[in-house]
Amino acid sequence: MTDILLAIIAAIAASASLVLLFVNRVPSALVAFFALWILNQSHYVAFAPGYILTWLAITLIIIALDMMNATAGHFSRTVVAYMLTGSIAGMLCGIAINPAGLIPGSAIGALLAFLAYTRTPAAAKLQFSSSAFIQYFCANGFRIVATTSMVGTLIAAVLARYNASVALNL
């Protein structure tokens, strides 16, 4: 009973972390890490301690970078929506190919979605120069990719639990 409750809390936290990406000053990666940690506490999935510590380090780096980010006023929910959609699509494609491909798939999806957004008429208002393009992608892309990768890890872990053909080496 407790394991089911922990799995439900992890699913709610993972979903909330994706929604919280649209709020600039809320550490969505922290909520995604919480979901990963909660699922690890249940008996459904057992991640290696080094894997959990790696995601904790990445989460702390994201929080520190968000605190030091000088471009906090330069935030567009439309760009985040493009990047989040691309990141989720890339993450799902990465899981479909190989569960280890969820992180590179998420990063490639976010980059391609960001490139697609820069070709829209709405992007002309933001006036991306090449340095602003890189800075904006790094500021928002890193937290989007990390959050979707943690959520993807939860998805892959649950798939591995219930489907023997999905092998995770975490």
Side-chain angles (χ1 to χ4, degrees):
M1 180 69 177
T2 306
D3 291 337
I4 293 172
L5 182 62
L6 289 174
I8 291 170
I9 292 170
I12 291 169
S15 301
S17 70
L18 294 176
V19 172
L20 288 174
L21 283 168
F22 291 99
V23 181
N24 193 22
R25 285 291 164 205
V26 176
S28 58
L30 186 62
V31 178
F33 176 76
F34 174 73
L36 194 68
W37 182 75
I38 286 292
L39 189 65
N40 190 47
Q41 298 306 310
S42 72
H43 292 116
Y44 285 116
V45 177
F47 295 111
Y51 192 76
I52 295 292
L53 289 176
T54 301
W55 279 116
L56 177 62
I58 291 170
T59 301
L60 293 175
I61 289 169
I62 290 170
I63 292 170
L65 288 175
D66 280 348
M67 292 166 109
M68 297 183 322
N69 190 6
T71 60
H74 192 62
F75 180 78
S76 170
R77 285 188 174 89
T78 308
V79 179
V80 171
Y82 268 78
M83 291 173 68
L84 179 60
T85 303
S87 186
I88 290 172
M91 177 259 305
L92 292 174
C93 289
I95 290 175
I97 295 169
N98 182 0
L102 68 95
I103 297 171
S106 180
I108 292 168
L111 179 62
L112 291 176
F114 187 58
L115 288 172
Y117 178 76
T118 59
R119 304 294 181 237
T120 63
K125 296 175 191 171
L126 295 177
Q127 299 174 352
F128 283 120
S129 64
S130 60
S131 63
F133 172 86
I134 293 170
Q135 184 179 9
Y136 191 86
F137 181 75
C138 290
N140 290 306
F142 188 50
R143 66 188 181 95
I144 290 171
V145 168
T147 302
T148 56
S149 294
M150 282 189 261
V151 172
T153 299
L154 293 173
I155 293 169
V158 171
L159 287 175
R161 165 91 171 146
Y162 294 105
N163 188 356
S165 67
V166 178
L168 283 181
N169 296 320
L170 305 177

